[in-house]
Structure formats: structure tokens, C-alpha cells
Amino acid sequence: MIPTSYPTAEEMARLTARMLLEIKAVHFNAADPFILSSGLPSPTYIDCRKLISFPRIRATLMDFMTVTVMRNAGFEAFDNIAGGETAGMPFAALVAERMGLPMTYVRKKPKGYGRNARIEGVMTEGERVLLVEDLTTDGGSKLSFVDAIRETGASCAHTAVIFYYGIFPETEKTLGDHGVELHYLCTWWDVLAEARASGAFDEDTLSGVEAFLNDPRKWQADRA
């Protein structure tokens, strides 16, 4: 069921950050950085997959995502909701349920047997597809999913995520150059502000994280 009233984008960002902190999906450690899949260090790490285990938070965030997309893209803008394998799949199902639309999912690569498909479920030519994922960093991983959707003859001009890093200036340009608009609920800046307001981490840790957010490429280069 889609809510008929909802907070401002700023309040949704604050509440989303608060929920992520509450379930300990946010990890900060400037002294002993995490190593990302890229091999680069980072004092921040977020695990949005944890959200599926918290029904009240999960439901609220999916309401937020649904109304954000409808407000930004239109109330009748989509015919199909696609989740990216694997983290986007549960969130796509929940958004599709709220919007009363079919749900599909996109594999990272073909199965290698049978139909060798990348799209699971029914997606048809001409459908307007919303790609749903848990998060995005620089936007690059979304392009492969978008291309797989477009190969069916469907269109994909929008992607929605719960969390957007918001620290790499090229992200929205990368997506925009590919004809994709990004919708999101909160960024690292929102999480940092809420963490500071709530005292979730000590000030030394928060200052270290803030230094990273202000210039992530330099911070990583200095520690690589």
C-alpha cells in the first residue's frame, strides 16, 4: 500500500540514516580501514542487506523509496520493477508490491546454461523499467544491468537505491551520460550528520571519516 503523505526529502534522508545506524549497518574505522572490493582502503563500510531482517525499518524505507521515485519520476512512469542480482532483488520485490507492478531481476552475467538468460521473470519490448538496487558508489555497476534490460527492447531511464555514497562527483554524470537518472534516500553526508548528532561514534572517528568524505581519492591514495 502506497502512503498518501510522506516527509520531505531531507527528513527522509535523516530518518534513513538513523535507521541504518540503529541496526548497525554503518561501520566507521579510520584507524584500521576496511578494504573494498576495488582493493582500496576506506574508513567507511555499509551493509544495506541487513535491512531485510528488520521488518518495520524495511517497510518504512520501501515506502520512502516508492514515494521518492513517484515524486521524482512520475506516478505512472513505470511498467516493470527490476532488481539487480542479488542485493537489489528483495527491495525490487517490495517496491513492485507497493506500486502494483510486475517484478523481474537482472543477473550479473548469463547463467551459462538453459536459456542463458540475464533477465528472470517477464520483461517485454516497450516496457518502462525501474532498476532497484541497495546502493551505488560510482554508478559503474548499474550500467551493465541497464544494458541487459535495454537488450530486451524495454527502456530503463531510472535507477533507485537506498544508499548513495554521494562523494564521487562523476557518479551522476556517468549515469546521466548513459541516459539514467539516479534516485536515492540518503548519502554518507546524511549518515555522518546523524552519527554526530546521536553520538554514535567518537569525535576522532567522525573527524577521520569526514576527511575521507571531503577527498576520498586523496585519502585512498595516501594509504594505498
Side-chain angles (χ1 to χ4, degrees):
M1 186 171 180
I2 301 168
T4 55
S5 62
Y6 47 92
T8 63
E10 292 75 17
E11 181 65 1
M12 284 193 285
R14 187 188 72 80
L15 290 171
T16 299
R18 178 179 173 184
M19 292 177 207
L20 290 167
L21 287 163
E22 185 174 330
I23 66 170
K24 302 189 185 310
V26 173
H27 303 273
F28 287 164
N29 192 332
D32 186 15
F34 307 96
I35 302 300
L36 303 178
S37 58
S38 62
L40 293 172
S42 172
T44 67
Y45 182 77
I46 190 158
D47 182 8
C48 289
R49 296 168 191 254
K50 288 184 74 173
L51 291 166
I52 62 176
S53 296
F54 296 86
R56 287 179 289 275
I57 288 176
R58 180 185 71 204
T60 302
L61 292 183
M62 292 303 97
D63 284 348
F64 285 177
M65 181 176 283
T66 301
V67 296
T68 295
V69 166
M70 290 193 304
R71 181 181 63 193
N72 294 347
F75 290 83
E76 298 291 340
F78 303 105
D79 308 299
N80 194 310
I81 308 297
E85 183 190 19
T86 56
M89 291 161 60
F91 304 121
L94 292 163
V95 170
E97 185 71 15
R98 282 161 171 75
M99 297 182 76
L101 292 174
M103 181 257 177
T104 49
Y105 72 87
V106 191
R107 292 183 179 275
K108 293 177 182 175
K109 59 183 180 180
K111 289 192 295 186
Y113 59 89
R115 296 185 299 113
N116 209 33
R118 284 192 68 188
I119 306 293
E120 300 291 354
V122 178
M123 184 180 293
T124 58
E125 185 174 356
E127 283 191 321
R128 301 162 300 168
V129 180
L130 171 68
L131 174 65
V132 172
E133 283 267 72
D134 62 334
L135 59 81
T136 192
T137 52
D138 61 5
S141 65
K142 303 292 174 287
L143 304 186
S144 175
F145 288 141
V146 168
D147 288 343
I149 290 168
R150 290 174 177 172
E151 285 171 8
T152 70
S155 65
C156 183
H158 299 269
T159 184
V161 298
I162 296 164
F163 189 81
Y164 166 42
Y165 269 48
I167 57 175
F168 300 115
E170 70 273 16
T171 303
E172 292 183 61
K173 183 179 187 305
T174 296
L175 290 168
D177 288 347
H178 211 67
V180 180
E181 183 178 351
L182 174 66
H183 309 278
Y184 57 90
L185 298 184
C186 79
T187 70
W188 275 129
W189 293 108
D190 300 308
V191 170
L192 178 65
E194 187 62 21
R196 186 163 269 143
S198 65
F201 296 91
D202 64 83
E203 187 54 39
D204 283 348
T205 296
L206 294 175
S207 294
V209 166
E210 187 170 12
F212 166 73
L213 298 184
N214 277 314
D215 196 345
R217 301 301 189 198
K218 182 179 184 306
W219 194 99
Q220 290 173 327
D222 289 345
R223 293 161 179 78

